[in-house]
Amino acid sequence: MAALHDEIAGLLAHMGPDAACRRIGMRDYYVGELYGQPCVVVLARIGKVAAAATAVTLIRDFDVRALLFTGLAGGIAPGVRVGDVVIADALVHHDLDARPLFPQYEVPLLAVSLLPTDARMNGVLAQCAADYLALALARDVDAATRDLFAIGAPMLHRGLVASGDRFVGDADTAATVHAGLPDTLCVEMEGAAVAQVCHEYQVPCAVMRTISDRADAAAPVDFAAFLNHIASHYSSGIVSRFIEAYTD
Ligand code: ADE
């Protein structure tokens, strides 16, 4: 799954015209084979409700045995830079606050704040991301483009990712998220919803994010430029390696 078309375009092209398309709830689910594995590829659209609805459909209508979300994020922690990759070990809804009924960030009546992802999927994904960054990124994205985005030696990070139904495009909001959840590596708009649904259905999931901006005043411009010039390379390069390597 992804929130934006550019992030699945490469996979859809690889699936070819033989992929069957089922339209459910205003979304197109492409069913076919990728790198020898049966797969469903879908554009979830942006935000937590869109992501949760899509994840439920993947689980109930398509019986998926593992679910991978790929997309962009804004770096929050110092050292999480544009062009880095983040794999979520756990996710949190940074905009969920039912105080005083429940503690801040806790999903009411589920009694969890940190929604885990699948350790085995994450292990395979981390290897694939490290290989891509070390071996293939420089081939996919030319040096001039990498320089434009100040992408030198991109790093792979693993840890906490925070999701909310807002694009974080000012330093104050980023600082507020960071103050409440100091372990946060980056912010995005879908991952915790996917992780919550997968937790409730006990389906293994993983969330991988490429850093497109620093969640500050420059974020809207940085995000759009990164999406246009670079994002699809990361998604296609890492996800294709993952599909080849992962068996459930
Ligand atoms: N996705 C990419 N950048 C983001 C940001 N700054 N806030 C929320 N989601 C994002």
Side-chain angles (χ1 to χ4, degrees):
M1 312 169 54
L4 297 161
H5 177 73
D6 304 63
E7 290 155 343
I8 57 164
L11 293 173
L12 287 180
H14 204 84
M15 252 186 175
D18 292 342
C21 177
R22 272 180 71 193
R23 191 162 176 81
I24 302 173
M26 297 190 184
R27 283 168 187 75
D28 292 326
Y29 294 80
Y30 293 92
V31 184
E33 205 167 269
L34 278 171
Y35 309 98
Q37 302 245 40
C39 285
V40 186
V41 177
V42 58
L43 176 67
R45 301 203 300 266
I46 297 172
K48 292 198 288 180
V49 174
T54 309
V56 170
T57 303
L58 283 169
I59 293 167
R60 291 187 55 102
D61 289 47
F62 295 93
D63 213 12
V64 295
R65 297 195 301 269
L67 203 156
L68 170 63
F69 193 105
T70 177
L72 302 178
I76 290 272
V80 176
R81 300 191 180 87
V82 171
D84 288 359
V85 171
V86 173
I87 294 173
D89 287 329
L91 297 106
V92 60
H93 298 277
H94 69 72
D95 57 353
L96 181 48
D97 189 353
R99 288 177 295 178
L101 305 179
F102 298 92
Q104 189 178 15
Y105 310 121
E106 184 173 303
V107 182
L109 306 180
L110 194 64
V112 282
S113 302
L114 303 187
L115 297 146
T117 50
D118 183 72
R120 202 166 65 81
M121 286 181 78
N122 290 340
V124 176
L125 199 51
Q127 188 59 58
C128 296
D131 286 352
Y132 180 76
L133 293 177
L135 307 174
L137 176 65
R139 190 195 57 206
D140 283 359
V141 181
D142 61 51
T145 309
R146 279 182 277 126
D147 283 353
L148 201 63
F149 289 86
I151 298 175
M155 287 175 60
L156 172 63
H157 309 266
R158 293 176 66 168
L160 184 65
V161 172
S163 312
D165 275 318
R166 67 182 296 173
F167 185 86
V168 181
D170 66 280
D172 286 351
T173 306
T176 304
V177 173
H178 195 248
L181 296 159
D183 292 338
T184 301
L185 297 175
C186 62
V187 284
E188 40 86 304
M189 300 180 67
E190 295 85 16
V194 173
Q196 183 177 333
V197 168
C198 287
H199 174 74
E200 291 173 354
Y201 282 93
Q202 292 291 288
V203 170
C205 78
V207 175
M208 179 188 73
R209 295 285 178 173
T210 308
I211 302 301
S212 56
D213 60 86
R214 280 287 305 169
D216 54 14
V221 173
D222 293 349
F223 170 85
F226 194 93
L227 182 65
N228 287 338
H229 294 103
I230 304 194
S232 63
H233 295 295
Y234 277 79
S235 286
S236 298
I238 300 173
V239 175
S240 59
R241 283 175 161 73
F242 175 77
I243 295 170
E244 273 185 306
Y246 181 76
T247 45
D248 62 351

